[in-house]
Amino acid sequence: MFYSIKLRKKLSNSSASVYSTSWCFLLYMIGMLNKNIVSQPDFKNYQRIFLNHYKFPLPKILIIYHMDFMRSIKLKLKQVMQNQDIGMKFSCFLDEIYQMHLPSKHSFFACLAKFPPEKLCSPDVLGNIYIRYQAACHATRVMVYFVPHLDSPALRVRKLRIISDDDSLKDGDTHHYQLSRAFSNMGAELLIADEDFGSLDDLQKKLDPMTADFVSLVQNIYPKSLGPWCVIEMFADDWMRALMNSLSHCFPLIKEEPYFAECFAQGVEERHAREAREITKFILMRSPELLTPTMEGAKMMATGLDKFWFGLEKLLRDSQ
């Protein structure tokens, strides 16, 4: 489409010989960018500037374009704000979960720290603590392979880095092996061999009811949302430090065990916690409808952890 002779004559000094809608559009966009025009009053002012400068009104098609453009901008801004609100809401929710369910505050760790050394050194007591704790950790290590929504190449890479920190250490070592060696060095009777920690269904048959319930919970809710994974990664550093500190009164060398020392020196679990939170916020901002099930899953996981610690505390009290 061509516009009036007036505009063509006004622009006759340019190298272009024909001025079409695309040229008017270019002029319009340059003006918009230079003046950072975003509001309707500014746009009306720009129309007057255009008319005064080119002696020709801004083409109607561009007026229509501007209205559509501003509507789309407002919609996108609204979506961005809503997504930011979702990310903030989830972060605040996790902070509340952290304060309410922080493992180190659980009475189990205080009970373990005060447990009589002569009883804590029992191979049977240590062995029962080990099998329950290892089984709980094993469940999360297995089910992290099945967490949802991390399907794109970039997200798979980020998930793989976390998995590698547990299952692909130097010389074929793993956190599982490190933990079993730590308890073996303390004198625990390892009631289940390393390679018998396999199928979660089979493992539950060998466990006490409360630990079996926790393993079953992890197995059921990990594939449904990223909430349970977030909670486990958020709490892991705290409960590992609490466990180490509570055992150190009887086993001072436990702090040198690679399961604890390497993890803390490298900030592994703290890094996992940040990554899990960032990834989950990214997914929620992209798919806001996942917020409710994610929060529900996180709450279920935190409550399940509390029950698991209570089961360990019951084991100690029954052993006195």
Coordinates of all heavy atoms in Angstrom, one line a residue, residues 4-79:
S4 N 0.2 9.1 0.7 CA 0.0 10.3 -0.1 C 1.3 10.8 -0.7 O 2.4 10.6 -0.3 CB -0.6 11.4 0.8 OG 0.4 11.8 1.7
I5 N 1.2 11.6 -1.7 CA 2.3 12.3 -2.4 C 3.1 13.2 -1.5 O 4.3 13.3 -1.6 CB 1.8 13.1 -3.6 CG1 1.1 12.2 -4.6 CG2 2.9 13.8 -4.3 CD1 2.0 11.1 -5.2
K6 N 2.3 13.7 -0.5 CA 3.0 14.6 0.4 C 4.1 13.9 1.2 O 5.2 14.5 1.3 CB 2.0 15.2 1.5 CG 0.9 16.1 0.9 CD 0.0 16.6 1.9 CE -1.0 17.6 1.4 NZ -1.9 18.1 2.4
L7 N 3.8 12.7 1.7 CA 4.8 12.0 2.4 C 6.0 11.6 1.5 O 7.2 11.8 1.9 CB 4.2 10.7 3.1 CG 5.2 9.9 3.8 CD1 5.8 10.6 5.0 CD2 4.5 8.6 4.3
R8 N 5.7 11.2 0.3 CA 6.7 10.8 -0.7 C 7.6 12.0 -1.0 O 8.8 11.9 -1.1 CB 6.1 10.2 -1.9 CG 5.3 8.9 -1.6 CD 4.6 8.4 -2.8 NE 5.5 8.1 -3.9 CZ 5.1 7.7 -5.1 NH1 3.8 7.7 -5.4 NH2 5.9 7.4 -6.1
K9 N 7.0 13.2 -1.2 CA 7.8 14.4 -1.5 C 8.7 14.8 -0.3 O 9.8 15.2 -0.5 CB 6.9 15.5 -1.9 CG 6.3 15.4 -3.3 CD 5.4 16.6 -3.7 CE 4.9 16.4 -5.1 NZ 4.0 17.6 -5.5
K10 N 8.1 14.7 0.9 CA 8.8 15.1 2.1 C 10.1 14.2 2.3 O 11.1 14.7 2.8 CB 7.9 14.9 3.3 CG 8.6 15.4 4.6 CD 8.9 16.8 4.6 CE 9.6 17.3 5.9 NZ 9.9 18.7 5.9
L11 N 10.0 13.0 1.8 CA 11.1 12.0 2.0 C 11.9 11.8 0.8 O 12.7 10.9 0.6 CB 10.5 10.7 2.5 CG 9.7 10.7 3.8 CD1 9.1 9.3 4.0 CD2 10.6 11.1 4.9
S12 N 11.8 12.8 -0.2 CA 12.4 12.6 -1.5 C 13.9 12.7 -1.5 O 14.6 12.2 -2.4 CB 11.9 13.7 -2.5 OG 12.2 15.0 -1.9
N13 N 14.5 13.2 -0.4 CA 16.0 13.3 -0.3 C 16.6 11.9 0.0 O 17.8 11.7 0.0 CB 16.4 14.3 0.8 CG 16.1 15.7 0.3 OD1 16.0 16.0 -0.9 ND2 15.8 16.6 1.3
S14 N 15.8 11.0 0.5 CA 16.3 9.6 0.8 C 16.6 8.9 -0.4 O 16.1 9.1 -1.5 CB 15.2 8.9 1.6 OG 15.6 7.5 1.8
S15 N 17.4 7.8 -0.3 CA 17.8 7.0 -1.4 C 16.7 6.1 -1.8 O 16.7 5.5 -2.9 CB 19.1 6.2 -1.0 OG 18.8 5.3 0.1
A16 N 15.7 5.9 -1.0 CA 14.6 5.0 -1.4 C 13.7 5.8 -2.4 O 13.4 6.9 -2.2 CB 13.8 4.7 -0.1
S17 N 13.2 5.0 -3.3 CA 12.4 5.6 -4.3 C 10.9 5.4 -4.1 O 10.1 6.1 -4.6 CB 12.7 5.1 -5.7 OG 12.6 3.7 -5.7
V18 N 10.6 4.4 -3.2 CA 9.2 4.1 -3.0 C 9.0 4.0 -1.4 O 9.8 3.4 -0.8 CB 8.8 2.8 -3.6 CG1 7.3 2.5 -3.3 CG2 8.9 2.9 -5.1
Y19 N 8.0 4.6 -0.9 CA 7.7 4.6 0.5 C 6.4 3.9 0.8 O 5.3 4.4 0.4 CB 7.7 6.0 1.1 CG 9.0 6.7 0.9 CD1 9.2 7.5 -0.2 CD2 10.0 6.4 1.7 CE1 10.4 8.1 -0.5 CE2 11.3 7.0 1.5 CZ 11.5 7.8 0.4 OH 12.7 8.4 0.2
S20 N 6.5 2.7 1.3 CA 5.4 1.9 1.6 C 5.1 1.8 3.1 O 5.7 2.5 3.9 CB 5.7 0.5 1.0 OG 6.7 -0.1 1.7
T21 N 4.2 0.9 3.4 CA 3.9 0.7 4.8 C 5.1 0.3 5.6 O 5.3 0.7 6.8 CB 2.8 -0.4 4.9 OG1 1.7 -0.1 4.2 CG2 2.4 -0.6 6.4
S22 N 6.0 -0.4 5.1 CA 7.2 -0.9 5.8 C 8.1 0.3 6.2 O 8.6 0.3 7.3 CB 8.0 -1.9 4.9 OG 8.4 -1.2 3.8
W23 N 8.2 1.4 5.3 CA 8.9 2.5 5.6 C 8.3 3.3 6.8 O 9.0 3.8 7.7 CB 9.1 3.4 4.4 CG 9.8 4.7 4.7 CD1 9.3 6.0 4.6 CD2 11.2 4.8 5.0 NE1 10.3 6.9 4.9 CE2 11.4 6.2 5.2 CE3 12.2 3.9 5.3 CZ2 12.7 6.7 5.6 CZ3 13.5 4.4 5.6 CH2 13.7 5.8 5.8
C24 N 7.0 3.5 6.7 CA 6.3 4.2 7.8 C 6.4 3.4 9.1 O 6.6 4.0 10.2 CB 4.8 4.3 7.4 SG 4.5 5.4 6.0
F25 N 6.4 2.1 9.0 CA 6.5 1.3 10.2 C 7.9 1.5 10.8 O 8.1 1.6 12.0 CB 6.3 -0.2 9.8 CG 6.5 -1.1 10.9 CD1 5.6 -1.3 11.9 CD2 7.7 -1.8 11.0 CE1 5.8 -2.1 13.0 CE2 8.0 -2.7 12.1 CZ 7.0 -2.9 13.1
L26 N 8.9 1.6 9.9 CA 10.3 1.8 10.4 C 10.4 3.1 11.1 O 11.0 3.2 12.2 CB 11.3 1.7 9.2 CG 12.8 2.0 9.6 CD1 13.2 0.9 10.6 CD2 13.6 1.9 8.3
L27 N 9.9 4.2 10.5 CA 9.9 5.5 11.2 C 9.2 5.4 12.5 O 9.7 6.0 13.5 CB 9.2 6.5 10.3 CG 9.9 6.9 9.0 CD1 9.1 7.8 8.1 CD2 11.3 7.5 9.2
Y28 N 8.1 4.7 12.5 CA 7.3 4.6 13.8 C 8.1 3.9 14.8 O 8.2 4.4 16.0 CB 6.0 3.9 13.4 CG 5.3 3.3 14.7 CD1 4.6 4.2 15.5 CD2 5.3 2.0 14.9 CE1 3.9 3.7 16.6 CE2 4.6 1.5 16.0 CZ 4.0 2.3 16.9 OH 3.3 1.8 18.0
M29 N 8.7 2.8 14.5 CA 9.4 2.0 15.5 C 10.7 2.8 16.0 O 11.0 2.7 17.2 CB 9.8 0.7 14.9 CG 8.7 -0.3 14.7 SD 7.7 -0.5 16.2 CE 8.9 -1.3 17.2
I30 N 11.4 3.5 15.1 CA 12.5 4.3 15.5 C 12.1 5.3 16.5 O 12.7 5.5 17.6 CB 13.2 4.9 14.3 CG1 13.9 3.9 13.4 CG2 14.2 6.0 14.8 CD1 14.4 4.4 12.1
G31 N 11.0 6.0 16.2 CA 10.5 7.0 17.2 C 10.1 6.4 18.5 O 10.4 6.9 19.6
M32 N 9.4 5.2 18.4 CA 9.0 4.6 19.7 C 10.2 4.2 20.5 O 10.3 4.4 21.7 CB 8.2 3.3 19.3 CG 6.9 3.6 18.7 SD 5.7 4.2 20.0 CE 5.3 2.6 20.8
L33 N 11.3 3.7 19.9 CA 12.5 3.2 20.6 C 13.2 4.4 21.2 O 13.7 4.4 22.3 CB 13.4 2.4 19.7 CG 12.8 1.0 19.3 CD1 13.8 0.4 18.2 CD2 12.8 0.1 20.5
N34 N 13.4 5.5 20.3 CA 14.1 6.7 20.8 C 13.5 7.4 21.9 O 14.1 7.9 22.8 CB 14.3 7.6 19.6 CG 15.3 7.1 18.6 OD1 16.1 6.3 18.9 ND2 15.3 7.7 17.4
K35 N 12.1 7.4 21.9 CA 11.4 8.1 22.9 C 10.9 7.2 24.0 O 10.3 7.7 25.0 CB 10.3 8.9 22.3 CG 10.7 10.0 21.3 CD 9.5 10.7 20.8 CE 10.0 11.8 19.8 NZ 10.8 12.8 20.6
N36 N 11.2 5.9 23.9 CA 10.7 5.0 24.9 C 9.2 5.1 25.3 O 8.8 5.2 26.4 CB 11.6 5.1 26.2 CG 11.4 3.9 27.1 OD1 11.0 2.8 26.7 ND2 11.6 4.2 28.4
I37 N 8.4 5.3 24.2 CA 7.0 5.5 24.4 C 6.3 4.2 24.8 O 6.4 3.2 24.1 CB 6.4 6.1 23.1 CG1 7.0 7.4 22.8 CG2 4.9 6.2 23.2 CD1 6.6 8.0 21.4
V38 N 5.6 4.3 25.9 CA 4.9 3.1 26.3 C 3.4 3.4 26.7 O 2.6 2.5 26.8 CB 5.6 2.4 27.5 CG1 6.9 1.9 27.1 CG2 5.7 3.4 28.7
S39 N 3.1 4.6 26.9 CA 1.7 5.0 27.4 C 0.9 5.6 26.3 O 1.4 6.1 25.3 CB 1.8 5.9 28.6 OG 2.3 7.2 28.1
Q40 N -0.4 5.5 26.5 CA -1.3 6.1 25.5 C -1.1 7.6 25.3 O -1.1 8.1 24.2 CB -2.8 5.7 25.8 CG -3.8 6.0 24.7 CD -3.5 5.2 23.5 OE1 -3.0 4.1 23.6 NE2 -3.9 5.7 22.3
P41 N -1.0 8.4 26.4 CA -0.8 9.8 26.2 C 0.5 10.1 25.4 O 0.6 11.0 24.5 CB -0.6 10.3 27.6 CG -1.4 9.4 28.4 CD -1.2 8.0 27.8
D42 N 1.6 9.3 25.7 CA 2.8 9.5 24.9 C 2.6 9.2 23.4 O 3.2 9.8 22.6 CB 3.9 8.6 25.5 CG 4.5 9.2 26.8 OD1 4.3 10.4 27.0 OD2 5.1 8.4 27.5
F43 N 1.8 8.2 23.2 CA 1.6 7.8 21.8 C 0.8 8.9 21.0 O 1.2 9.2 19.9 CB 0.8 6.5 21.8 CG 0.4 6.1 20.4 CD1 1.4 5.7 19.5 CD2 -0.9 6.1 19.9 CE1 1.1 5.3 18.2 CE2 -1.2 5.7 18.6 CZ -0.2 5.3 17.8
K44 N -0.1 9.5 21.7 CA -0.9 10.6 21.1 C 0.1 11.8 20.8 O 0.0 12.4 19.7 CB -2.0 11.0 21.9 CG -3.2 10.0 22.0 CD -4.3 10.5 22.9 CE -5.4 9.5 22.9 NZ -6.6 9.9 23.8
N45 N 1.0 12.0 21.7 CA 1.9 13.1 21.5 C 2.8 12.7 20.3 O 3.2 13.6 19.5 CB 2.8 13.3 22.8 CG 3.7 14.4 22.6 OD1 3.3 15.5 22.3 ND2 5.0 14.2 22.9
Y46 N 3.2 11.5 20.2 CA 4.0 11.1 19.1 C 3.3 11.2 17.7 O 3.9 11.6 16.7 CB 4.5 9.6 19.3 CG 5.4 9.1 18.1 CD1 6.7 9.6 18.0 CD2 4.9 8.2 17.2 CE1 7.5 9.2 16.9 CE2 5.7 7.8 16.1 CZ 7.0 8.3 16.0 OH 7.8 7.9 15.0
Q47 N 2.0 11.0 17.7 CA 1.2 11.2 16.5 C 1.4 12.7 16.1 O 1.5 13.0 14.9 CB -0.2 10.9 16.8 CG -0.5 9.4 16.8 CD -2.0 9.1 17.0 OE1 -2.5 9.2 18.1 NE2 -2.7 8.8 16.0
R48 N 1.3 13.6 17.0 CA 1.4 15.0 16.7 C 2.8 15.3 16.2 O 3.0 16.1 15.2 CB 1.1 15.9 17.9 CG -0.4 15.9 18.3 CD -0.7 17.0 19.4 NE 0.0 16.7 20.6 CZ -0.5 16.0 21.6 NH1 -1.8 15.5 21.5 NH2 0.1 15.8 22.7
I49 N 3.8 14.8 16.8 CA 5.2 15.0 16.4 C 5.4 14.5 14.9 O 6.0 15.1 14.1 CB 6.2 14.3 17.3 CG1 6.2 14.9 18.7 CG2 7.6 14.3 16.7 CD1 7.0 14.2 19.7
F50 N 4.8 13.3 14.7 CA 4.9 12.7 13.3 C 4.3 13.6 12.3 O 4.8 13.9 11.2 CB 4.3 11.3 13.3 CG 4.5 10.5 12.1 CD1 5.6 9.6 12.0 CD2 3.7 10.7 11.0 CE1 5.8 8.8 10.9 CE2 4.0 10.0 9.8 CZ 5.0 9.0 9.8
L51 N 3.1 14.1 12.6 CA 2.3 15.0 11.7 C 3.1 16.3 11.5 O 3.2 16.7 10.3 CB 1.0 15.3 12.3 CG 0.1 16.2 11.5 CD1 -0.2 15.6 10.1 CD2 -1.2 16.5 12.2
N52 N 3.6 16.9 12.5 CA 4.4 18.1 12.4 C 5.6 18.0 11.5 O 6.0 18.8 10.8 CB 4.7 18.7 13.7 CG 3.5 19.2 14.5 OD1 2.4 19.5 13.9 ND2 3.5 19.2 15.8
H53 N 6.3 16.9 11.7 CA 7.6 16.7 11.1 C 7.4 16.2 9.6 O 8.1 16.8 8.7 CB 8.4 15.6 11.8 CG 9.8 15.5 11.3 ND1 10.8 16.4 11.6 CD2 10.4 14.5 10.5 CE1 11.9 16.0 11.0 NE2 11.7 14.9 10.4
Y54 N 6.5 15.3 9.3 CA 6.3 14.8 8.0 C 5.2 15.4 7.2 O 5.0 15.1 6.0 CB 6.2 13.3 8.0 CG 7.4 12.6 8.6 CD1 7.3 12.0 9.8 CD2 8.6 12.6 7.9 CE1 8.5 11.3 10.4 CE2 9.7 11.9 8.4 CZ 9.6 11.3 9.6 OH 10.7 10.7 10.1
K55 N 4.4 16.3 7.9 CA 3.2 16.9 7.3 C 2.2 15.8 6.8 O 1.6 16.0 5.7 CB 3.6 17.8 6.1 CG 4.7 18.8 6.5 CD 4.3 19.7 7.7 CE 5.4 20.7 8.0 NZ 5.0 21.5 9.3
F56 N 2.2 14.7 7.5 CA 1.3 13.6 7.1 C 1.0 12.8 8.3 O 1.8 12.5 9.1 CB 2.1 12.8 6.1 CG 1.3 11.6 5.6 CD1 0.2 11.8 4.7 CD2 1.5 10.3 6.1 CE1 -0.5 10.7 4.2 CE2 0.8 9.2 5.6 CZ -0.3 9.4 4.7
P57 N -0.3 12.5 8.5 CA -0.7 11.8 9.7 C -0.1 10.4 9.8 O 0.1 9.8 8.7 CB -2.2 11.8 9.7 CG -2.5 11.9 8.2 CD -1.4 12.8 7.6
L58 N 0.1 9.9 10.9 CA 0.6 8.6 11.1 C -0.4 7.6 10.5 O -1.6 7.7 10.8 CB 0.7 8.2 12.6 CG 1.4 6.9 13.0 CD1 2.9 7.0 12.6 CD2 1.3 6.7 14.5
P59 N 0.0 6.7 9.6 CA -0.9 5.8 9.0 C -1.8 5.0 9.9 O -1.4 4.6 11.0 CB 0.0 4.9 8.2 CG 1.2 5.7 8.0 CD 1.4 6.5 9.2
K60 N -3.0 4.9 9.6 CA -4.0 4.2 10.4 C -3.6 2.8 10.8 O -3.8 2.3 11.9 CB -5.4 4.2 9.8 CG -6.5 3.8 10.7 CD -7.9 4.0 10.0 CE -9.0 3.6 11.0 NZ -10.3 3.8 10.3
I61 N -3.0 2.1 9.9 CA -2.6 0.8 10.2 C -1.6 0.7 11.3 O -1.6 -0.3 12.1 CB -2.0 0.1 8.9 CG1 -1.7 -1.4 9.1 CG2 -0.6 0.8 8.5 CD1 -1.3 -2.2 7.9
L62 N -0.8 1.8 11.5 CA 0.2 1.8 12.6 C -0.5 2.1 13.9 O 0.0 1.7 14.9 CB 1.3 2.7 12.3 CG 2.2 2.4 11.1 CD1 3.4 3.3 11.0 CD2 2.7 0.9 11.2
I63 N -1.5 2.9 13.8 CA -2.3 3.2 15.0 C -2.9 1.9 15.5 O -2.9 1.6 16.7 CB -3.4 4.3 14.7 CG1 -2.7 5.6 14.3 CG2 -4.3 4.5 15.9 CD1 -3.7 6.6 13.9
I64 N -3.5 1.1 14.6 CA -4.1 -0.1 15.0 C -3.0 -1.1 15.5 O -3.2 -1.8 16.6 CB -4.8 -0.8 13.8 CG1 -5.9 0.1 13.3 CG2 -5.2 -2.2 14.1 CD1 -6.6 -0.4 12.0
Y65 N -1.8 -1.1 14.9 CA -0.7 -1.9 15.3 C -0.3 -1.5 16.7 O -0.1 -2.4 17.6 CB 0.5 -1.8 14.4 CG 1.7 -2.4 15.0 CD1 1.9 -3.8 14.8 CD2 2.7 -1.7 15.7 CE1 3.0 -4.4 15.4 CE2 3.8 -2.3 16.2 CZ 4.0 -3.7 16.1 OH 5.0 -4.3 16.6
H66 N -0.2 -0.2 17.0 CA 0.2 0.2 18.3 C -0.8 -0.3 19.4 O -0.4 -0.7 20.5 CB 0.2 1.8 18.4 CG 0.5 2.3 19.8 ND1 1.7 2.4 20.3 CD2 -0.4 2.8 20.7 CE1 1.6 2.8 21.6 NE2 0.3 3.1 21.8
M67 N -2.1 -0.2 19.1 CA -3.1 -0.6 20.1 C -2.9 -2.1 20.4 O -3.0 -2.6 21.5 CB -4.5 -0.3 19.6 CG -4.8 1.2 19.4 SD -6.3 1.6 18.6 CE -7.5 0.9 19.9
D68 N -2.7 -2.9 19.3 CA -2.5 -4.3 19.5 C -1.2 -4.6 20.2 O -1.1 -5.5 21.1 CB -2.5 -5.0 18.1 CG -3.8 -5.0 17.4 OD1 -4.8 -4.8 18.2 OD2 -3.9 -5.2 16.2
F69 N -0.2 -3.8 19.9 CA 1.1 -4.0 20.5 C 1.0 -3.7 22.0 O 1.6 -4.5 22.8 CB 2.1 -3.0 19.8 CG 3.5 -3.0 20.5 CD1 4.4 -4.1 20.3 CD2 3.9 -2.0 21.3 CE1 5.6 -4.1 20.8 CE2 5.1 -2.0 21.9 CZ 6.0 -3.0 21.6
M70 N 0.4 -2.6 22.4 CA 0.3 -2.3 23.8 C -0.6 -3.3 24.6 O -0.3 -3.6 25.7 CB -0.4 -0.9 23.9 CG 0.5 0.2 23.4 SD 2.2 0.2 24.1 CE 1.9 0.4 25.9
R71 N -1.6 -3.8 23.9 CA -2.4 -4.9 24.6 C -1.6 -6.1 24.9 O -1.6 -6.7 25.9 CB -3.6 -5.2 23.7 CG -4.8 -4.3 23.9 CD -6.1 -4.9 23.3 NE -6.0 -5.0 21.9 CZ -6.5 -4.0 21.0 NH1 -7.0 -2.9 21.5 NH2 -6.4 -4.2 19.7
S72 N -0.7 -6.5 23.9 CA 0.1 -7.7 24.1 C 1.2 -7.4 25.1 O 1.5 -8.3 25.9 CB 0.8 -8.0 22.7 OG 1.7 -7.1 22.3
I73 N 1.7 -6.2 25.2 CA 2.7 -5.8 26.2 C 2.1 -5.9 27.6 O 2.7 -6.5 28.5 CB 3.3 -4.4 26.0 CG1 4.2 -4.5 24.7 CG2 4.0 -4.0 27.2 CD1 5.5 -5.3 24.9
K74 N 0.9 -5.4 27.7 CA 0.2 -5.4 29.0 C -0.1 -6.8 29.5 O 0.1 -7.2 30.6 CB -1.1 -4.6 29.0 CG -0.9 -3.1 28.9 CD -2.2 -2.4 28.8 CE -2.0 -0.9 28.7 NZ -3.3 -0.1 28.5
L75 N -0.5 -7.7 28.5 CA -0.7 -9.1 28.8 C 0.5 -9.8 29.3 O 0.5 -10.6 30.2 CB -1.3 -9.8 27.6 CG -1.7 -11.3 27.8 CD1 -2.7 -11.5 28.9 CD2 -2.2 -11.8 26.5
K76 N 1.6 -9.5 28.5 CA 2.9 -10.2 28.9 C 3.4 -9.7 30.2 O 3.9 -10.5 31.0 CB 3.9 -9.9 27.8 CG 3.7 -10.7 26.5 CD 4.7 -10.3 25.4 CE 4.4 -11.1 24.1 NZ 5.4 -10.8 23.1
L77 N 3.3 -8.4 30.5 CA 3.7 -7.9 31.8 C 2.9 -8.5 32.9 O 3.4 -8.8 34.0 CB 3.5 -6.4 31.8 CG 4.6 -5.6 31.0 CD1 4.2 -4.1 31.0 CD2 6.0 -5.8 31.6
K78 N 1.6 -8.7 32.7 CA 0.7 -9.3 33.7 C 1.1 -10.7 33.9 O 1.2 -11.2 35.1 CB -0.7 -9.3 33.2 CG -1.7 -9.8 34.2 CD -3.2 -9.7 33.7 CE -4.1 -10.3 34.7 NZ -5.6 -10.2 34.2
Q79 N 1.5 -11.5 32.8 CA 1.9 -12.8 33.0 C 3.2 -12.9 33.7 O 3.4 -13.8 34.6 CB 2.1 -13.5 31.6 CG 0.7 -13.7 30.9 CD 0.9 -14.2 29.5 OE1 2.0 -14.1 28.9 NE2 -0.1 -14.8 28.9

